[in-house]
Amino acid sequence: MLRFLTIFLITSVNVNCIYIVNPGPKYPPTKGEVWPKPQNEITELTYYTFDPLNFKVKVTNNTCDILISAIERYSYIVKSNKPQQDHRPVSVTERRQHARQAQTLQLGVLQELQVQLTEPCEEYPYLEMDEKYRLNVLAVSVLTSASVWGILRGLETFAQKFYISRDMNELRINTSVVVDFPEYAHRGLLLDTGRHYISVPNILLTLDAMTINKMNVFHWHIVDDQSFPYQSEKFPDLSSRLLIFYDSLYGAYHASMVYTKNDIARIVEYARLRGIRVLPEFDVPGHTRSWGNAYPNILTSCYHENEVVGLGPMNPIRNITYKMIRDLYHEVQAWFPDKHLHIGGDEVRKLCWRSNPEIREYMQKNGLKVEELHALFMQNTIPLLADGSKIVVWQDVFDENVPLTSDTLIQVWKDEWIHEMVKVLKTGHRVLFSSSWYLNYLQDEWPMLYMADPRRMVRDETDNNTLPAGVIGGEACMWGEKVDDRNVISSVWPRASAVAERLWSAPTLGETSPRPEVYQRIEEHVCRMNRRGIAAQPASGPGFCLV
Amino acid sequence: MLRFLTIFLITSVNVNCIYIVNPGPKYPPTKGEVWPKPQNEITELTYYTFDPLNFKVKVTNNTCDILISAIERYSYIVKSNKPQQDHRPVSVTERRQHARQAQTLQLGVLQELQVQLTEPCEEYPYLEMDEKYRLNVLAVSVLTSASVWGILRGLETFAQKFYISRDMNELRINTSVVVDFPEYAHRGLLLDTGRHYISVPNILLTLDAMTINKMNVFHWHIVDDQSFPYQSEKFPDLSSRLLIFYDSLYGAYHASMVYTKNDIARIVEYARLRGIRVLPEFDVPGHTRSWGNAYPNILTSCYHENEVVGLGPMNPIRNITYKMIRDLYHEVQAWFPDKHLHIGGDEVRKLCWRSNPEIREYMQKNGLKVEELHALFMQNTIPLLADGSKIVVWQDVFDENVPLTSDTLIQVWKDEWIHEMVKVLKTGHRVLFSSSWYLNYLQDEWPMLYMADPRRMVRDETDNNTLPAGVIGGEACMWGEKVDDRNVISSVWPRASAVAERLWSAPTLGETSPRPEVYQRIEEHVCRMNRRGIAAQPASGPGFCLV
């Protein structure tokens, strides 16, 4: 039997791979399938045709600025679907077929979408906001949700369900019922604007793409060792003095490469209208070299053989360090309305701390080990945040035994992530997962990202059915070493779409690779993103998009 | 001693990597350094400033349309260099320093470039055209070459030597002498427009980028199994019938995704004016599935258990196959002026030939093995080309013992390439090298591509000093599975720049990785490409470009 199987396998490989390469796209795209896949969806074969001139959206209950602006946006998106007919004469057979189909399956023209928000709007998106919605596609379609965030998600689903008929003459939408909600509450994307500056228009485009993929947290790793593009009002010198031809003296790479208060307000508002939180990260005490261009005294001088060889992490034993952090964080928290602030805490170069005589003396006097300095630093820093703030940290902070309140979110990013997640969850902390989703590994393709299922990992490891719920989400991370305005959009999309579907849709259920349906659906999704202005790159192989 | 060394190494790692991350770009770019590096160059510290209003280019000898158009282009490029001053007040110290420098190093204002073409122009670029030039930068600079192609390369060098002064107020060019010529005659880039359609504007941009990198062959892998975008006048059905929503019946992916005679003429002319040959590839007998959408009879029906399971390579025993090839090749050779035609010959699925009863019977009757069918096919095909044609083939054709004239170029693309190159060279054939330069492996970074030195490989393997000369060039190959209009430019550049410098400049001389100078020079080069409209992605890490 085994032998028979082997022969069969080899033969089928011959037939599929060695003999035959089919012309046309490798994975023919689906038509009107939604990405990320809804939790529950019944789609029938019957359909309505769409006439942009005779379609309207009606609000039948609560409304607000977010709702009004979303309806405006989606009305435009829906109406800008265009038939893509060429002028080839359609054959008689085809015309007959089309007529027959119209007779049996077409239920008429789509007239209206009623938007029914049953509770008042909220102003800002937040962790664990309600995103559930129900969509009924009929001649008079109805979208219902208790939350404006659910309405936003439902409008996106509605927009994605349109498709062009086979003969390319007609826009259609199938009769369907969707009852949908996300699997994970925190579905994020990290962009790093410290290593390469990303222009505001590209950040807004990224927010558009996140909307199309129902992601809800833009994790903005805004500054890093290399540059400080955040233009502070309290500390303008952090960014505004110009770096002249690579003399490393000033914060931003260039006077033009900053984010002003005005830019930040624009980004936050653009995100809010799309139900996306902006989670700023000001990483401390490591990854802060650029702070030291204007303020070297808050950093640690690193020594080698009694000579200063450069600047390392923040100096944890000086008051000015904490004064600066407090003042800057207060400004940041005034500019970014989200309750959460990411304070980093990864990759602290403790060898530099240890090399510094002033710090060594302090450790000796206080009987501290160098590892304990990190805890000291964090314990001094966390109380500096605005009242009611919640924090997110990289796993290093947890690993180094810094005391943390139970609502602190731990972002797992290193290797041996299953073990780490279980360890964190067992202490009662909640986890954001990122280890498998580092988009800066440009060779990692979407199917690999797609199959990483953090709750399943925890369940398989522990046989515990309640522990996995502590994984409240995850983030795709695009670190900035290799991406700038020229390639950031195509490098992130559609790979982040794989993460988006994993975080929204039902879990993988024991599969080891994406089903063929997923390959076809992501093809449609890439073309959809292209049509909506996102330069997503090809997902899986030969093919094409009409834009 | 070893122990001492170990300690030293660890310490120096600490100093460089663990303690210190410097702010600013990882590799500060050079200023006015040329890419690819000239063979001989003396650059002095003295310089001329540049005033676009008082600079002219003068032709002092032969001229022609290529020369006139090049001078127009480069005058614009040179004059569009802009000082990038910000409005920061320059400090007194800096002003003094600047004045002192101006006193000792500034030799005045650049007045003129004299262009001296000592022989009449040629009309089309060709294999082993003369590209040597001599450039003398002085107040009145002189560019000399015996060939218009050399003048083109020299103008590019001249344009690259401008840089902006430290205080960003002034454009400068240093006193210098360049005597330059390419190491390899054939410096190519392959784009595959069969797997994804690439728009004509992106092909023209690619030609611009090739010009900046002194590459001289655009290898246009125009059609493949998946689609046939070449719009033939003799066989319009090959492309023009529309593929409707992925019914695999027609040649091009879409009616809009074709290259017309007019498009081709535009691309060929654009390339000619830049000294770039357009080498079209119409791959036979494999990779031809898309031909069969309109003309299934020229392909082989593949059988599995007595049933036809699809279409494979061209049918080598039917006259209609050769008639079609002849007629199409004649058209292609009329539209593409280059003497060379690439006829492919790679990856022929012989299992399909063997599965076909008609072909099996033919083999039996003629006492042929299936391997010999490839030779038969090529022997029938080569005489169909226009008189005086020369051919390029993939190594498979050589490997399968097809008789080839000695001027046939063999393109080496598979593994074990050193062994293969030596084998080919020993038969007297000349080699194009590509194995190490497959850009579709997106994870391969430029330093790896840069260090592949085919002549050195052959020399090291054989200890023979004449054999390496038979490697007359190479090509960076961007196969189209994962790239389309959205990411093709940033995926190709600057990685193809590494190949361009390897093929133009002197050999690697025993080094195993690029020198630090190269890292800095490619940073400047990426920004230069960005400024000239090429969306090249970051080369090596954090940094920025002003555009």
Side-chain angles (χ1 to χ4, degrees):
Chain A
M1 182 61 190
L2 189 67
R3 200 169 149 223
F4 176 79
L5 256 179
T6 313
I7 289 166
F8 175 78
L9 282 171
I10 291 171
T11 317
S12 75
V13 164
N14 281 349
V15 172
N16 295 325
C17 305
I18 302 188
Y19 281 176
I20 311 296
V21 177
N22 285 320
K26 186 165 180 190
Y27 299 101
T30 51
K31 290 161 84 69
E33 293 288 332
V34 179
W35 187 288
K37 191 156 187 67
Q39 296 275 357
N40 305 286
E41 186 178 20
I42 300 165
T43 300
E44 306 193 20
L45 291 174
T46 54
Y47 63 86
Y48 300 88
T49 56
F50 180 71
D51 171 12
L53 298 176
N54 291 302
F55 169 76
K56 55 185 179 303
V57 183
K58 198 192 269 176
V59 177
T60 61
N61 201 328
N62 289 301
T63 187
C64 62
D65 61 341
I66 299 176
L67 192 72
I68 292 165
S69 132
I71 286 174
E72 209 170 283
R73 276 198 319 276
Y74 282 102
S75 295
Y76 176 78
I77 290 166
V78 164
K79 290 180 183 180
S80 65
N81 283 309
K82 289 183 193 77
Q84 294 169 321
Q85 192 196 3
D86 77 313
H87 300 295
R88 192 176 67 89
V90 175
S91 73
V92 178
T93 329
E94 263 177 292
R95 246 177 298 163
R96 269 196 208 133
Q97 210 172 14
H98 187 262
R100 210 161 37 236
Q101 199 185 44
Q103 237 172 11
T104 54
L105 297 177
Q106 191 197 321
L107 300 184
V109 180
L110 185 77
Q111 294 166 27
E112 188 173 290
L113 173 69
Q114 298 188 348
V115 176
Q116 196 163 49
L117 171 59
T118 59
E119 302 285 332
C121 283
E122 292 168 317
E123 198 185 347
Y124 282 101
Y126 54 92
L127 180 63
E128 293 177 316
M129 59 187 157
D130 179 10
E131 297 174 280
K132 187 174 174 184
Y133 68 91
R134 181 191 171 91
L135 173 68
N136 229 324
V137 178
L138 294 167
V140 174
S141 298
V142 182
L143 169 62
T144 320
S145 176
S147 138
V148 71
W149 320 119
I151 296 290
L152 292 178
R153 307 302 170 237
L155 286 170
E156 181 59 43
T157 296
F158 180 69
Q160 293 195 7
K161 291 189 70 72
F162 289 88
Y163 63 91
I164 295 165
S165 62
R166 249 180 107 73
D167 64 2
M168 291 183 157
N169 281 326
E170 205 171 69
L171 273 164
R172 295 180 183 173
I173 186 167
N174 283 22
T175 315
S176 43
V177 183
V178 180
V179 180
D180 199 14
F181 52 87
E183 178 76 11
Y184 293 87
H186 183 120
R187 304 179 306 281
L189 172 68
L190 177 151
L191 284 193
D192 164 11
T193 57
R195 293 187 174 87
H196 280 101
Y197 180 80
I198 307 287
S199 67
V200 174
N202 264 332
I203 292 178
L204 301 181
L205 261 184
T206 299
L207 293 169
D208 283 338
M210 289 176 66
T211 310
I212 301 176
N213 289 276
K214 295 192 173 78
M215 294 179 105
N216 64 2
V217 184
F218 172 49
H219 176 166
W220 191 355
H221 185 90
I222 190 165
V223 301
D224 208 297
D225 284 322
Q226 289 79 8
S227 79
F228 199 99
Y230 172 87
Q231 189 179 75
S232 167
E233 280 183 357
K234 280 189 195 156
F235 304 101
D237 285 356
L238 277 171
S239 66
S240 70
R241 294 162 76 193
L242 181 62
L243 183 143
I244 295 199
F245 266 88
Y246 319 107
D247 272 2
S248 332
L249 291 167
Y250 309 92
Y253 277 140
H254 185 262
S256 67
M257 294 181 175
V258 291
Y259 303 105
T260 65
K261 183 180 183 178
N262 188 42
D263 291 333
I264 290 169
R266 169 126 172 78
I267 287 165
V268 167
E269 176 64 6
Y270 198 91
R272 181 183 80 89
L273 291 175
R274 286 156 182 79
I276 298 174
R277 301 162 52 204
V278 181
L279 173 65
E281 176 181 356
F282 282 78
D283 196 349
V284 291
H287 289 282
T288 49
R289 180 60 187 81
S290 64
W291 302 50
N293 290 334
Y295 298 93
N297 290 336
I298 64 168
L299 301 187
T300 307
S301 292
C302 316
Y303 283 72
H304 178 63
E305 294 177 353
N306 299 319
E307 266 180 49
V308 176
V309 290
L311 292 172
M314 286 183 162
N315 190 317
I317 63 167
R318 288 199 183 151
N319 288 334
I320 47 163
T321 308
Y322 299 108
K323 186 172 170 340
M324 170 125 206
I325 290 175
R326 186 193 63 201
D327 292 350
L328 188 76
Y329 276 5
H330 279 197
E331 180 182 273
V332 167
Q333 292 195 289
W335 292 7
F336 290 89
D338 204 82
K339 282 282 170 236
H340 284 84
L341 179 69
H342 202 306
I343 60 170
D346 58 321
E347 300 184 310
V348 185
R349 309 295 184 199
K350 290 178 218 76
L351 285 174
C352 174
W353 279 346
R354 187 150 57 194
S355 79
N356 180 294
E358 180 196 356
I359 293 178
R360 264 213 309 271
E361 195 190 309
Y362 179 92
M363 288 195 293
Q364 221 158 18
K365 215 160 71 185
N366 294 277
L368 286 171
K369 285 186 225 144
V370 73
E371 293 73 24
E372 292 170 301
L373 280 180
H374 192 188
L376 175 83
F377 177 88
M378 284 295 172
Q379 278 178 286
N380 286 336
T381 297
I382 292 166
L384 305 175
L385 302 189
D387 289 343
S389 307
K390 291 170 182 175
I391 60 170
V392 190
V393 292
W394 297 106
Q395 71 173 77
D396 314 48
V397 178
F398 173 87
D399 295 344
E400 290 170 13
N401 302 312
V402 177
L404 296 166
T405 56
S406 66
D407 61 0
T408 302
L409 303 180
I410 314 294
Q411 189 161 9
V412 172
W413 67 281
K414 294 189 182 185
D415 284 346
E416 301 186 36
W417 52 83
I418 300 180
H419 179 74
E420 176 78 10
M421 283 196 287
V422 171
K423 213 170 84 183
V424 174
L425 292 168
K426 283 188 171 163
T427 67
H429 283 292
R430 290 181 301 170
V431 163
L432 295 177
F433 178 68
S434 285
S435 300
S436 304
W437 293 330
Y438 266 37
L439 302 178
N440 47 307
Y441 298 122
L442 297 178
Q443 69 274 27
D444 291 354
E445 300 190 7
W446 73 265
M448 206 179 98
L449 308 176
Y450 189 82
M451 294 316 293
D453 181 345
R455 284 190 179 154
R456 177 176 152 195
M457 293 173 196
V458 172
R459 192 161 32 236
D460 290 355
E461 176 77 8
T462 57
D463 266 337
N464 177 321
N465 276 317
T466 55
L467 217 49
V471 185
I472 57 153
E475 294 185 352
C477 300
M478 179 47 99
W479 295 101
E481 281 85 351
K482 306 261 163 91
V483 290
D484 66 4
D485 271 333
R486 271 139 297 266
N487 61 340
V488 66
I489 300 287
S490 63
S491 306
V492 170
W493 309 100
R495 295 189 304 144
S497 301
V499 179
E501 176 150 308
R502 174 59 48 239
L503 289 170
W504 179 279
S505 308
T508 51
L509 294 175
E511 285 143 2
T512 55
S513 62
R515 293 180 306 279
E517 170 271 326
V518 184
Y519 281 87
Q520 291 187 251
R521 203 152 40 78
I522 203 170
E523 287 290 311
E524 179 181 20
H525 192 56
V526 164
C527 293
R528 170 186 294 141
M529 287 195 277
N530 284 182
R531 277 196 303 275
R532 284 170 65 179
I534 311 301
Q537 66 187 18
S540 320
F544 68 97
C545 292
L546 295 176
V547 287
Chain B
M1 181 60 189
L2 189 67
R3 200 171 147 221
F4 175 79
L5 255 180
T6 313
I7 289 166
F8 174 78
L9 282 173
I10 289 170
T11 316
S12 75
V13 163
N14 281 350
V15 172
N16 294 326
C17 305
I18 301 187
Y19 281 175
I20 311 297
V21 178
N22 285 320
K26 185 164 182 192
Y27 299 100
T30 50
K31 291 162 82 69
E33 293 287 333
V34 179
W35 187 287
K37 192 155 187 67
Q39 296 274 357
N40 305 285
E41 185 178 19
I42 301 166
T43 301
E44 307 195 18
L45 290 174
T46 54
Y47 63 87
Y48 300 88
T49 57
F50 180 72
D51 170 12
L53 297 177
N54 291 301
F55 170 77
K56 55 185 179 303
V57 183
K58 197 192 268 176
V59 177
T60 61
N61 201 329
N62 289 302
T63 188
C64 61
D65 60 342
I66 298 177
L67 192 72
I68 292 165
S69 130
I71 287 174
E72 208 171 283
R73 274 195 323 273
Y74 282 102
S75 295
Y76 176 78
I77 290 165
V78 164
K79 291 181 182 177
S80 65
N81 282 310
K82 288 182 194 79
Q84 293 168 323
Q85 192 196 2
D86 76 312
H87 300 293
R88 194 176 67 89
V90 175
S91 74
V92 179
T93 330
E94 261 177 295
R95 246 177 298 162
R96 273 198 206 129
Q97 210 173 15
H98 188 261
R100 210 162 37 236
Q101 199 185 43
Q103 237 172 12
T104 54
L105 297 178
Q106 193 198 320
L107 300 184
V109 179
L110 185 77
Q111 293 166 28
E112 188 173 292
L113 172 69
Q114 297 188 348
V115 176
Q116 195 163 51
L117 171 59
T118 60
E119 302 284 333
C121 284
E122 293 168 318
E123 198 185 347
Y124 282 101
Y126 53 92
L127 180 62
E128 293 178 314
M129 58 187 157
D130 179 10
E131 296 173 279
K132 188 174 175 184
Y133 68 93
R134 181 190 172 94
L135 173 69
N136 229 324
V137 179
L138 294 166
V140 174
S141 297
V142 182
L143 169 62
T144 320
S145 175
S147 136
V148 72
W149 320 118
I151 296 290
L152 292 178
R153 305 304 171 235
L155 285 169
E156 181 58 44
T157 295
F158 180 71
Q160 295 194 7
K161 290 188 73 71
F162 289 88
Y163 63 91
I164 295 165
S165 62
R166 249 180 104 74
D167 64 3
M168 291 183 158
N169 282 325
E170 206 171 70
L171 273 165
R172 296 178 181 174
I173 185 166
N174 284 21
T175 315
S176 44
V177 183
V178 180
V179 180
D180 199 15
F181 52 88
E183 178 76 11
Y184 293 86
H186 183 120
R187 305 180 305 284
L189 172 68
L190 176 150
L191 284 192
D192 163 11
T193 55
R195 292 187 175 85
H196 279 101
Y197 181 80
I198 307 287
S199 66
V200 174
N202 264 332
I203 292 177
L204 300 181
L205 261 183
T206 299
L207 293 169
D208 283 339
M210 290 176 66
T211 309
I212 302 175
N213 289 277
K214 294 192 173 76
M215 294 179 105
N216 65 2
V217 184
F218 172 49
H219 176 166
W220 191 355
H221 184 89
I222 191 166
V223 300
D224 208 296
D225 284 322
Q226 288 80 7
S227 78
F228 199 99
Y230 171 88
Q231 190 180 76
S232 166
E233 281 183 356
K234 280 190 195 157
F235 304 100
D237 286 355
L238 276 170
S239 66
S240 70
R241 293 162 76 192
L242 181 64
L243 183 141
I244 296 200
F245 267 88
Y246 317 107
D247 272 1
S248 335
L249 291 167
Y250 310 93
Y253 277 141
H254 186 261
S256 68
M257 294 181 174
V258 292
Y259 304 105
T260 64
K261 182 178 184 180
N262 188 42
D263 292 332
I264 291 168
R266 170 126 172 78
I267 287 165
V268 166
E269 176 64 6
Y270 198 92
R272 181 183 81 89
L273 290 175
R274 285 154 182 81
I276 298 173
R277 300 162 52 205
V278 181
L279 173 65
E281 177 182 354
F282 282 78
D283 196 349
V284 291
H287 289 281
T288 48
R289 180 59 187 83
S290 64
W291 303 49
N293 291 335
Y295 298 93
N297 290 336
I298 64 168
L299 301 187
T300 307
S301 293
C302 315
Y303 284 73
H304 178 62
E305 294 178 354
N306 298 321
E307 266 180 48
V308 176
V309 291
L311 292 173
M314 286 181 161
N315 190 317
I317 63 166
R318 287 201 184 150
N319 287 335
I320 48 163
T321 307
Y322 299 108
K323 182 169 172 344
M324 170 125 206
I325 291 175
R326 186 193 65 202
D327 291 351
L328 188 75
Y329 276 6
H330 278 198
E331 180 182 271
V332 166
Q333 293 195 290
W335 292 7
F336 291 90
D338 205 82
K339 281 282 171 236
H340 284 85
L341 179 69
H342 201 306
I343 60 169
D346 58 320
E347 300 185 309
V348 184
R349 311 294 184 201
K350 290 180 218 76
L351 285 174
C352 174
W353 279 346
R354 187 151 55 193
S355 79
N356 179 294
E358 180 195 355
I359 292 178
R360 263 211 312 270
E361 193 191 311
Y362 179 92
M363 289 195 292
Q364 220 159 20
K365 216 160 75 186
N366 295 276
L368 287 171
K369 284 186 228 144
V370 72
E371 292 73 23
E372 292 169 302
L373 280 180
H374 193 188
L376 174 83
F377 177 88
M378 285 295 174
Q379 279 178 287
N380 286 336
T381 296
I382 294 167
L384 305 175
L385 302 188
D387 289 343
S389 308
K390 290 168 183 177
I391 61 171
V392 190
V393 292
W394 297 105
Q395 71 174 77
D396 314 47
V397 178
F398 173 87
D399 295 345
E400 291 171 12
N401 302 310
V402 178
L404 296 166
T405 56
S406 67
D407 62 0
T408 303
L409 303 180
I410 314 293
Q411 188 160 10
V412 172
W413 67 281
K414 295 190 182 185
D415 285 345
E416 300 186 36
W417 52 81
I418 301 180
H419 179 75
E420 176 78 9
M421 283 196 286
V422 171
K423 213 170 84 183
V424 174
L425 292 167
K426 282 187 171 164
T427 65
H429 282 292
R430 291 182 300 171
V431 163
L432 296 176
F433 178 67
S434 285
S435 300
S436 303
W437 293 330
Y438 266 36
L439 302 177
N440 47 307
Y441 297 121
L442 298 177
Q443 69 273 28
D444 290 355
E445 301 190 8
W446 72 264
M448 205 179 99
L449 308 176
Y450 190 81
M451 294 316 293
D453 181 344
R455 282 188 182 156
R456 179 177 152 196
M457 294 172 196
V458 172
R459 192 160 35 237
D460 291 354
E461 175 78 8
T462 58
D463 266 336
N464 177 322
N465 276 318
T466 56
L467 217 49
V471 185
I472 56 152
E475 295 185 351
C477 300
M478 180 47 99
W479 295 103
E481 282 86 350
K482 306 261 163 93
V483 290
D484 65 5
D485 271 333
R486 271 140 295 267
N487 61 342
V488 66
I489 299 288
S490 64
S491 307
V492 169
W493 308 101
R495 296 190 302 143
S497 302
V499 179
E501 176 149 308
R502 175 59 47 239
L503 290 170
W504 180 279
S505 307
T508 51
L509 294 175
E511 286 143 2
T512 56
S513 61
R515 295 180 306 279
E517 169 270 325
V518 184
Y519 281 88
Q520 292 187 250
R521 202 152 40 77
I522 203 169
E523 286 291 311
E524 179 180 20
H525 192 56
V526 164
C527 293
R528 169 186 293 141
M529 287 195 276
N530 284 182
R531 277 196 303 276
R532 284 170 66 179
I534 311 301
Q537 66 187 18
S540 319
F544 68 97
C545 291
L546 296 176
V547 287

